[in-house]
Amino acid sequence: MDPAAALASALTARGGPRLSAVEWHEEIGSTSDRVKDLARAGAPTWTAVLADRQSGGRGRAGRTWASPPGGLYLSVLLRPEAARVSLLPLAAGVAVAEAVQELGVRSELKWPNDVLVGGRKLAGILAEASSGGAGVEWVVLGIGVNVATAPERLPEAVRGTAASLAGSGARETSATEVAAATLARLAEWYEVLRESPARVVAAWRSHAVPWWGEPVVVRTGGGERRGRLAAIDEEGALVLETEAGESVRLVSGEVSRLRAAAAP
Ligand code: BTN
């Protein structure tokens, strides 16, 4: 059975979601680019594309996403209400964290949606929206999970900071099984997002790295902001409290913990 058919039948066995269409590619530039093309051509919500490897995998902030064999590369087309779009990446992070938990791995979420194991990156999520006159038309959610990626197949720059399911004590699994678990959880959280967005934020917090109140730096395209990590608000933005007592709300960026200066 090819992986597209295996994914569809795994989802049927789990009770959903029923994918409108699913494509599998042995190799593709980027599964998200393919779903965008399908979206522009009017593809239905819950159209999914997966690949064994990507030659042009993309990450957040214009970075590349190394995509050798052994990983899950999955993109899905969704059409959330405009007011919920900013929470979709958080909902996806919760879905991935729960999916990997099913496989025996406890992960932590780092805002906005890095999935970490022991401080190393296991999975990344890229949400890309297309807006028209009527607001957000669609969102392509791209999910990359290091399932059994051999470290030597990753670029040296990320080798030391990447985790894989196979190397984190997960039970034996496959990219298709991880995709099915992730999509099943995502469908549940997509429904919650519609009815009760505050529950998504609460669930995200329950999986988050416990850095509340600690000094952090958030690097954004426009520079960096420092402060104590105060909250994730109801729209999924990160709230910092600066030394001057000011509250700063950030909608994107890369958060790192600032270590306390060593005593002289
Ligand atoms: C990140 O920078 O953390 C996000 C990485 C997202 C990677 C996935 S792999 C499937 C999909 N296709 C892409 O080109 N990117 C996303």
Side-chain angles (χ1 to χ4, degrees), residues 171-229:
R171 68 168 167 76
E172 206 178 321
T173 187
S174 64
T176 311
E177 189 186 12
V178 179
T182 301
L183 288 169
R185 300 289 180 157
L186 180 63
E188 289 167 19
W189 285 106
Y190 192 60
E191 206 44 42
V192 175
L193 184 63
R194 218 165 45 81
E195 290 163 5
S196 170
R199 271 186 58 206
V200 171
V201 179
W204 190 92
R205 275 189 70 110
S206 74
H207 288 277
V209 288
W211 293 357
W212 312 109
E214 292 191 25
V216 295
V217 54
V218 183
R219 297 189 173 89
T220 67
E224 60 173 54
R225 295 301 304 247
R226 287 167 187 243
R228 289 190 183 274
L229 184 58

Side-chain angles (χ1 to χ4, degrees), residues 30-32 54 56-60 65 73-75 114 121 124-126 142-144:
S30 157
T31 53
S32 286
Q54 299 181 117
R58 294 183 292 102
R60 289 195 300 118
W65 183 259
Y73 310 109
L74 168 72
S75 298
D114 284 349
K121 189 149 162 171
I125 295 162
L126 177 68
I143 299 172

